[in-house]
Amino acid sequence: MAEINRTNEKIKTSTKWFFAMGDVFQGGFFNLVNFFYSIFLTDVIGLHPMWAANVFLLGKIWDAVIDPAIGYLSDNTRSRFGRRRLYFLIGAPLIFFAFVLMWFPYSSGTEMSKVVFFIFAYMLMNTANAIVSVPFLAMSAELSTDYNERTSLTNTRMIVSIISSIICAVTPMLIVAQFADIHQGYIAMSVIFGLFFSLPLLLVFFKVPERKQFSEGNKGSIKDLFMSLRLKVFRRFVVMYLCIVVAMDVISMIFAYYMTYNLERPAELSFVLGALLVAQVATVPLASTFAKKTSKTRAIILGNTGWIACGIFSMFITSASPVFLIYLLAACLGFFIAFSLIGYTALFGDVTEVGEYHFGRRVEGSFTGVQQFIRKCAAALANWIALMLLGLSGFISPVESIVDGATTLISQTQSEAVLFTIKGILGLSSVILLVPAIIIAVRWQLTKEKHAALISYLDHKRAGQVATPEEEAEIQEILKPLI
């Protein structure tokens, strides 16, 4: 009988933490861009929100297009480093350069030249992002196939990701504020965070080996790029994931406007975001334990329900409200978002095993690429709609003032229509997007027990053992609703 090389072994603690270093970029970059890039384009560069909307739309659509291609390439890469790790080595220096470029304070040209410049910079950054993010997310499903071990890995990743997010929420604008000239402040911030994001990726490359069982894989054809969408369980997962991350994107983007114009506390933005993210990282162990003891989908249901309540509550806070309510709202949001993040992140690897059974080979890169393609198309549309609504409501960008050679910004008073639009986007987007995710989570059918049976079957199959007709019938019955 052939020896069984089990794929559900425990991951070394050191490997978990070195791998989680990739989430310094994964978690921090997205939050920094989501929180600050839109308001950078409208308030610092001076783009009208409708033009800024097109920067996001085209940049994210390109990002969406390139993700499946990188997924396909990483599935089919053959090198002495494996098929995923090589991309961290290639992507790290590109991330540094592109990040500095996208925050360059080019505000003296025509509006059209600024739009073209920032579309190019954002597209280049998203190319660098795809080069590392797709292989990283695919590799996360390959380190172990154990249901609880994946939750533990997700817990470690979330801690690193949220700590990075806290740093990226609190410190960028504090760095900018250290300079009398706001343009110099943004240049310094971009260099510091370019290094902060790129250097940890080299730790993943040097310190995290790929599993021998998965490092070679089976080559697929280009026409198989979107084959993951044939699976019912993957389509359901993508919709649930999509609802959660797009809600996060929209809320993150509009929150700076909410603090600046609705609550009239722009100087406190970094600290409120810090409260949100500190609550998030503090909740990760609790959310991870909850997911292990109950299920990953129950974590999503709890998180989304509380998140919706926070979104509705935010619509009733005004600039006259007690300060503690703003921090309480942020902390509650962080608490509930942690449950949603733990749930959907840990579910991804389970879904890819159904794909291995159905397609006869592991193609996590394609799964990740398609998932990211759909997510980014949806995020591009959602951000475009939000910024277009902001522009149509009559948003007025701040005016630049140059005193003693230093550039500062003078904010303009916004109309009631603008303030209502900001509040509506923040409060109602969570209801519209998160309710469908709750419905899918309630109906989720890939349970812990079904996944354990699937892993046992796949481990025997990889060892060359032939299942009996009874075993084949049993696994087919288990997976029938998922395929």
Side-chain angles (χ1 to χ4, degrees), residues 12-32:
K12 290 181 180 178
T13 301
S14 60
T15 300
K16 288 180 184 178
W17 284 104
F18 280 125
F19 183 72
M21 287 299 102
D23 277 290
V24 171
F25 173 69
Q26 296 296 316
F29 170 72
F30 285 108
N31 273 340
L32 199 157

Side-chain angles (χ1 to χ4, degrees), residues 255-268:
F255 202 80
Y257 295 95
Y258 177 71
M259 286 293 301
T260 301
Y261 298 109
N262 289 69
L263 303 189
E264 299 175 2
R265 290 186 171 97
E268 293 183 49

